[in-house]
Amino acid sequence: MCRCDFIMSADGSVEKLTETTRTEILDMVVSQMACNGLRTICSAVKNIVSTSESAAENEQVSTETPNFDDEETIIAGLTCLAVFGIEDPVRPEVPAAILKCRRAGVTVRMLTGDNVNTAKSIATKCGIITADELEGTVAVMEGVEFNRRIRDDKGKIDPENFDQVWTGLRVLARSTPQDKYTLVEGIIDSKVTKHREVVAVTGDGTNDAPALKKADVGFAMGIAGTEVAKEASDIIITDDNFISIVQACMWGRNIYDNICKFLQFQLTVNVTALIVSITAACAIGETPLKAVPMLWINLIQDTLASLALATEPPSEHLLERRPYGRKANLLSQIMIRNIAGQGLYQLSIIFFLLFGQSVFNLNPDPGLAAVIGPNLRFGQSSRQLDTLIFNAFVFMTIFNLVNARCIHNERNVFARFFRNPFFVAIFLTLLGTQVHCVYIYIVYTNILTR
């Protein structure tokens, strides 16, 4: 618009474009369109004629071929034809996806080359910026203002000034790829928060490659993205949809949680079996958990349990908590408490069965009594006692699979229990197999004793 000296009216006549008219168009048309989320484009024309006899006021006379490399001369004195407002509608699923990011502790910031009013309107529709955040002085700004605030008199980035800006920044309009890289690098190096921030960046252009490479996680657009951007990124979004980023976040948390669930389950079984074996060996000279039963227990904890817990599907509840820190321990305090509590419970039951065998009227093995003689020590093992301890330990281990699904202090251990058919099938298979194995062993023993 600033290059136009003339304007064409509705009837096709050309008039001189005065500063007053230009200001009215910018304020009443361009600004209003921008505030409604429209990207404005001005269409203008310039006629170059070879003779001045019939040349109009808005036409340029040139007897020679114009030098089209001289842009300043070519695009000066244009005639404004129209101002178009182009809308890039917000996808209906985007506001809900951004709301999920807020609940998950993920802050979304928009960097765009659009007009500040256009950017603010789009960000408001998406939910990137709220009414309370609009009251801040740094929530929405342009790239020029951003660089002015974060740099010192020598043009270098001042970390203190940068920390005062980026924490409240939500929309950066009229930004350049260099501004994006500066923001990403500054947030990563910032010390204003307790833990180092994890930065994810989306981009589709070649100029976005440095920022995609610098970020902890780079998302490239699979449809509109260039090959350079895809090579620099970590993840390619095949459908160019923001909801896919939320899905990636949810899947990442689900995989991490499934690993923690399996560790919680396996450590409980290993610690309990180790303590029982060592204690029983020292107290009565043998362990109630023999080689073959331990193979079955290892099969439960290593193969079937990992398959059951690793196939837990992601759900929306994963986005209702803040993300893990970069240096967070794989075993959280809640997991350690669960392992200790469940381990103590299992040890109490097993030791009660092992050293309180008189309660169950269990007699030592006849073969063992014949070898040792009448001086049989208290707590000496028997086949029936070994079977009872093995059966109790396996059932506690199987039911601990359900407890191991909870690593965030959930109250209901059966929540979303039937959403994973693999878990239900493995759980029921383990129960049925254990009952079947013990029943066959009892029948086989009775046949031998007859």
Side-chain angles (χ1 to χ4, degrees):
M1 181 61 69
C2 62
R3 300 282 185 175
C4 296
D5 293 337
F6 304 92
I7 185 170
M8 182 176 290
S9 59
D11 57 1
S13 60
V14 178
E15 301 176 355
K16 192 73 174 179
L17 181 61
T18 62
E19 287 298 326
T20 303
T21 306
R22 193 196 314 273
T23 303
E24 290 178 355
I25 294 174
L26 292 175
D27 294 340
M28 303 299 295
V29 179
V30 176
S31 296
Q32 289 297 323
M33 287 184 176
C35 291
N36 291 323
L38 302 178
R39 294 181 173 91
T40 56
I41 297 179
C42 178
S43 175
V45 67
K46 180 178 182 179
N47 293 329
I48 301 177
V49 296
S50 59
T51 177
S52 60
E53 294 180 358
S54 59
E57 183 182 8
N58 64 326
E59 295 178 338
Q60 178 182 340
V61 179
S62 178
T63 57
E64 300 178 355
T65 302
N67 183 14
F68 291 101
D69 294 332
D70 186 7
E71 294 185 1
E72 292 296 328
T73 304
I74 293 297
I75 63 176
L78 300 176
T79 301
C80 178
L81 300 179
V83 176
F84 299 93
I86 302 176
E87 182 181 11
D88 186 7
V90 177
R91 294 183 180 183
E93 66 272 13
V94 171
I98 293 179
L99 181 60
K100 292 178 182 178
C101 288
R102 284 181 173 271
R103 293 175 178 173
V106 178
T107 302
V108 180
R109 294 179 173 86
M110 184 175 76
L111 283 74
T112 177
D114 292 334
N115 178 281
V116 64
N117 293 325
T118 305
K120 185 188 298 184
S121 176
I122 295 175
T124 304
K125 292 178 182 179
C126 294
I128 295 176
I129 189 169
T130 62
D132 295 336
E133 292 171 341
L134 279 172
E135 298 178 358
T137 57
V138 297
V140 181
M141 64 173 59
E142 293 186 340
V144 176
E145 177 67 15
F146 171 74
N147 283 280
R148 187 188 66 81
R149 290 201 179 202
I150 66 173
R151 298 183 185 275
D152 55 19
D153 297 336
K154 298 180 180 180
K156 296 182 179 180
I157 299 176
D158 187 348
E160 294 183 1
N161 294 339
F162 183 85
D163 290 340
Q164 294 176 0
V165 172
W166 79 265
T167 52
L169 181 65
R170 294 296 179 269
V171 179
L172 187 60
R174 297 296 188 194
S175 61
T176 63
Q178 181 60 38
D179 295 336
K180 178 183 286 190
Y181 180 84
T182 300
L183 183 62
V184 172
E185 183 181 37
I187 294 177
I188 291 177
D189 296 337
S190 177
K191 306 295 183 183
V192 70
T193 55
K194 182 179 179 180
H195 302 287
R196 207 271 270 175
E197 296 289 328
V198 178
V199 182
V201 174
T202 62
D204 55 4
T206 302
N207 294 332
D208 294 328
L212 290 171
K213 199 72 175 177
K214 181 66 177 178
D216 295 298
V217 182
F219 291 95
M221 302 296 108
I223 300 175
T226 62
E227 291 300 324
V228 176
K230 294 178 183 178
E231 289 293 332
S233 65
D234 302 296
I235 300 175
I236 299 177
I237 305 175
T238 56
D239 58 357
D240 289 8
N241 198 333
F242 184 82
I243 192 68
S244 298
I245 300 178
V246 181
Q247 294 290 337
C249 179
M250 186 167 63
W251 270 99
R253 294 187 178 189
N254 183 69
I255 293 173
Y256 187 92
D257 282 1
N258 287 348
I259 294 173
C260 293
K261 293 173 184 177
F262 176 69
L263 285 177
Q264 178 175 277
F265 173 80
Q266 190 174 41
L267 288 176
T268 302
V269 178
N270 288 337
V271 169
T272 303
L274 179 63
I275 295 177
V276 169
S277 299
I278 293 177
T279 304
C282 295
I284 64 176
E286 61 176 337
T287 174
L289 300 176
K290 301 299 190 293
V292 175
M294 284 302 298
L295 288 176
W296 170 236
I297 293 173
N298 285 331
L299 179 64
I300 294 176
Q301 71 174 14
D302 290 338
T303 306
L304 299 178
S306 63
L307 182 61
L309 295 174
T311 54
E312 285 279 338
S315 59
E316 297 292 335
H317 81 282
L318 294 170
L319 300 176
E320 296 176 357
R321 58 173 174 81
R322 297 188 64 83
Y324 294 106
R326 289 178 57 87
K327 297 183 179 180
N329 294 326
L330 192 60
L331 292 177
S332 64
Q333 293 183 355
I334 296 177
M335 292 174 59
I336 295 175
R337 184 201 64 188
N338 293 343
I339 293 172
Q342 186 64 219
L344 289 175
Y345 163 72
Q346 294 183 12
L347 288 173
S348 300
I349 298 297
I350 293 175
F351 285 151
F352 174 73
L353 296 176
L354 181 62
F355 298 108
Q357 52 187 322
S358 59
V359 178
F360 303 97
N361 296 322
L362 296 176
N363 298 318
D365 281 340
L368 188 64
V371 174
I372 299 178
N375 298 323
L376 197 64
R377 291 182 297 170
F378 169 77
Q380 206 61 263
S381 178
S382 68
R383 291 182 180 179
Q384 293 85 356
L385 181 61
D386 291 348
T387 304
L388 180 62
I389 293 176
F390 166 65
N391 202 37
F393 185 42
V394 170
F395 273 111
M396 287 189 293
T397 300
I398 294 175
F399 283 102
N400 191 37
L401 266 176
V402 182
N403 297 329
R405 296 173 61 250
C406 300
I407 58 174
H408 295 293
N409 211 22
E410 296 92 338
R411 291 181 178 273
N412 184 9
V413 296
F414 295 102
R416 299 172 297 277
F417 182 80
F418 294 101
R419 291 187 70 252
N420 184 8
F422 290 101
F423 184 92
V424 177
I426 292 173
F427 180 78
L428 296 178
T429 301
L430 290 174
L431 287 177
T433 304
Q434 177 64 18
V435 172
H436 188 65
C437 290
V438 173
Y439 178 75
I440 290 178
Y441 173 77
I442 294 174
V443 172
Y444 178 74
T445 304
N446 291 335
I447 291 176
L448 291 180
T449 54
R450 290 178 180 177

